[in-house]
PDB file of all heavy atoms in Angstrom:
ATOM      1  N   LEU A 583      -8.511  23.153  12.855  1.00 98.00           N
ATOM      2  CA  LEU A 583      -7.306  23.158  13.695  1.00 98.00           C
ATOM      3  C   LEU A 583      -7.406  22.073  14.771  1.00 98.00           C
ATOM      4  O   LEU A 583      -6.508  21.919  15.588  1.00 98.00           O
ATOM      5  CB  LEU A 583      -7.145  24.533  14.363  1.00 98.00           C
ATOM      6  CG  LEU A 583      -7.112  25.747  13.420  1.00 98.00           C
ATOM      7  CD1 LEU A 583      -7.095  27.045  14.213  1.00 98.00           C
ATOM      8  CD2 LEU A 583      -5.909  25.683  12.481  1.00 98.00           C
ATOM      9  N   GLY A 584      -8.517  21.360  14.779  1.00 98.00           N
ATOM     10  CA  GLY A 584      -8.730  20.328  15.806  1.00 98.00           C
ATOM     11  C   GLY A 584      -9.048  20.922  17.165  1.00 98.00           C
ATOM     12  O   GLY A 584      -8.858  20.276  18.202  1.00 98.00           O
ATOM     13  N   LEU A 585      -9.551  22.141  17.202  1.00 98.00           N
ATOM     14  CA  LEU A 585      -9.786  22.810  18.489  1.00 98.00           C
ATOM     15  C   LEU A 585     -10.784  22.050  19.345  1.00 98.00           C
ATOM     16  O   LEU A 585     -11.846  21.648  18.875  1.00 98.00           O
ATOM     17  CB  LEU A 585     -10.369  24.207  18.271  1.00 98.00           C
ATOM     18  CG  LEU A 585      -9.440  25.364  17.953  1.00 98.00           C
ATOM     19  CD1 LEU A 585     -10.212  26.669  18.109  1.00 98.00           C
ATOM     20  CD2 LEU A 585      -8.214  25.357  18.840  1.00 98.00           C
ATOM     21  N   PRO A 586     -10.453  21.888  20.619  1.00 98.00           N
ATOM     22  CA  PRO A 586     -11.417  21.291  21.549  1.00 98.00           C
ATOM     23  C   PRO A 586     -12.347  22.365  22.103  1.00 98.00           C
ATOM     24  O   PRO A 586     -12.094  23.563  21.947  1.00 98.00           O
ATOM     25  CB  PRO A 586     -10.519  20.747  22.658  1.00 98.00           C
ATOM     26  CG  PRO A 586      -9.349  21.688  22.688  1.00 98.00           C
ATOM     27  CD  PRO A 586      -9.165  22.203  21.262  1.00 98.00           C
ATOM     28  N   GLU A 587     -13.404  21.940  22.754  1.00 98.00           N
ATOM     29  CA  GLU A 587     -14.247  22.847  23.532  1.00 98.00           C
ATOM     30  C   GLU A 587     -13.404  23.403  24.686  1.00 98.00           C
ATOM     31  O   GLU A 587     -12.586  22.674  25.258  1.00 98.00           O
ATOM     32  CB  GLU A 587     -15.422  22.025  24.098  1.00 98.00           C
ATOM     33  CG  GLU A 587     -16.451  22.801  24.866  1.00 98.00           C
ATOM     34  CD  GLU A 587     -17.496  23.431  23.940  1.00 98.00           C
ATOM     35  OE1 GLU A 587     -17.382  23.319  22.704  1.00 98.00           O
ATOM     36  OE2 GLU A 587     -18.429  24.046  24.481  1.00 98.00           O
ATOM     37  N   VAL A 588     -13.605  24.677  25.025  1.00 98.00           N
ATOM     38  CA  VAL A 588     -12.912  25.203  26.206  1.00 98.00           C
ATOM     39  C   VAL A 588     -13.811  24.918  27.411  1.00 98.00           C
ATOM     40  O   VAL A 588     -14.888  25.505  27.552  1.00 98.00           O
ATOM     41  CB  VAL A 588     -12.611  26.706  26.074  1.00 98.00           C
ATOM     42  CG1 VAL A 588     -11.888  27.202  27.318  1.00 98.00           C
ATOM     43  CG2 VAL A 588     -11.762  26.955  24.835  1.00 98.00           C
ATOM     44  N   ILE A 589     -13.368  24.003  28.226  1.00 97.00           N
ATOM     45  CA  ILE A 589     -14.210  23.504  29.317  1.00 97.00           C
ATOM     46  C   ILE A 589     -14.030  24.337  30.589  1.00 97.00           C
ATOM     47  O   ILE A 589     -14.970  24.559  31.334  1.00 97.00           O
ATOM     48  CB  ILE A 589     -13.878  22.017  29.574  1.00 97.00           C
ATOM     49  CG1 ILE A 589     -14.279  21.214  28.330  1.00 97.00           C
ATOM     50  CG2 ILE A 589     -14.595  21.487  30.810  1.00 97.00           C
ATOM     51  CD1 ILE A 589     -13.906  19.768  28.361  1.00 97.00           C
ATOM     52  N   ASP A 590     -12.809  24.827  30.789  1.00 96.00           N
ATOM     53  CA  ASP A 590     -12.509  25.485  32.067  1.00 96.00           C
ATOM     54  C   ASP A 590     -12.672  26.997  32.041  1.00 96.00           C
ATOM     55  O   ASP A 590     -11.940  27.706  32.724  1.00 96.00           O
ATOM     56  CB  ASP A 590     -11.076  25.126  32.492  1.00 96.00           C
ATOM     57  CG  ASP A 590     -10.969  23.634  32.772  1.00 96.00           C
ATOM     58  OD1 ASP A 590     -11.943  23.088  33.318  1.00 96.00           O
ATOM     59  OD2 ASP A 590      -9.944  23.036  32.422  1.00 96.00           O
ATOM     60  N   LEU A 591     -13.614  27.496  31.275  1.00 97.00           N
ATOM     61  CA  LEU A 591     -13.853  28.940  31.307  1.00 97.00           C
ATOM     62  C   LEU A 591     -14.279  29.335  32.710  1.00 97.00           C
ATOM     63  O   LEU A 591     -15.162  28.685  33.293  1.00 97.00           O
ATOM     64  CB  LEU A 591     -14.992  29.306  30.351  1.00 97.00           C
ATOM     65  CG  LEU A 591     -14.682  29.481  28.877  1.00 97.00           C
ATOM     66  CD1 LEU A 591     -15.970  29.795  28.118  1.00 97.00           C
ATOM     67  CD2 LEU A 591     -13.666  30.599  28.659  1.00 97.00           C
ATOM     68  N   PRO A 592     -13.702  30.396  33.254  1.00 97.00           N
ATOM     69  CA  PRO A 592     -14.168  30.814  34.584  1.00 97.00           C
ATOM     70  C   PRO A 592     -15.616  31.304  34.523  1.00 97.00           C
ATOM     71  O   PRO A 592     -16.030  31.885  33.510  1.00 97.00           O
ATOM     72  CB  PRO A 592     -13.224  31.962  34.954  1.00 97.00           C
ATOM     73  CG  PRO A 592     -12.411  32.274  33.748  1.00 97.00           C
ATOM     74  CD  PRO A 592     -12.602  31.185  32.733  1.00 97.00           C
ATOM     75  N   ASP A 593     -16.357  31.063  35.569  1.00 97.00           N
ATOM     76  CA  ASP A 593     -17.773  31.451  35.601  1.00 97.00           C
ATOM     77  C   ASP A 593     -17.963  32.910  35.208  1.00 97.00           C
ATOM     78  O   ASP A 593     -18.876  33.255  34.462  1.00 97.00           O
ATOM     79  CB  ASP A 593     -18.362  31.272  37.005  1.00 97.00           C
ATOM     80  CG  ASP A 593     -18.521  29.809  37.372  1.00 97.00           C
ATOM     81  OD1 ASP A 593     -18.216  28.953  36.517  1.00 97.00           O
ATOM     82  OD2 ASP A 593     -18.947  29.546  38.512  1.00 97.00           O
ATOM     83  N   GLU A 594     -17.088  33.779  35.718  1.00 97.00           N
ATOM     84  CA  GLU A 594     -17.299  35.215  35.488  1.00 97.00           C
ATOM     85  C   GLU A 594     -17.038  35.613  34.034  1.00 97.00           C
ATOM     86  O   GLU A 594     -17.409  36.708  33.614  1.00 97.00           O
ATOM     87  CB  GLU A 594     -16.497  36.071  36.465  1.00 97.00           C
ATOM     88  CG  GLU A 594     -15.000  35.887  36.499  1.00 97.00           C
ATOM     89  CD  GLU A 594     -14.525  34.631  37.260  1.00 97.00           C
ATOM     90  OE1 GLU A 594     -15.342  33.787  37.677  1.00 97.00           O
ATOM     91  OE2 GLU A 594     -13.290  34.500  37.386  1.00 97.00           O
ATOM     92  N   ALA A 595     -16.433  34.705  33.259  1.00 98.00           N
ATOM     93  CA  ALA A 595     -16.187  35.040  31.853  1.00 98.00           C
ATOM     94  C   ALA A 595     -17.375  34.653  30.970  1.00 98.00           C
ATOM     95  O   ALA A 595     -17.508  35.112  29.845  1.00 98.00           O
ATOM     96  CB  ALA A 595     -14.931  34.314  31.364  1.00 98.00           C
TER      97      ALA A 595
END
Side-chain angles (χ1 to χ4, degrees):
L583 305 174
L585 278 193
E587 183 84 356
V588 180
I589 295 174
D590 295 323
L591 277 178
D593 289 358
E594 58 283 7

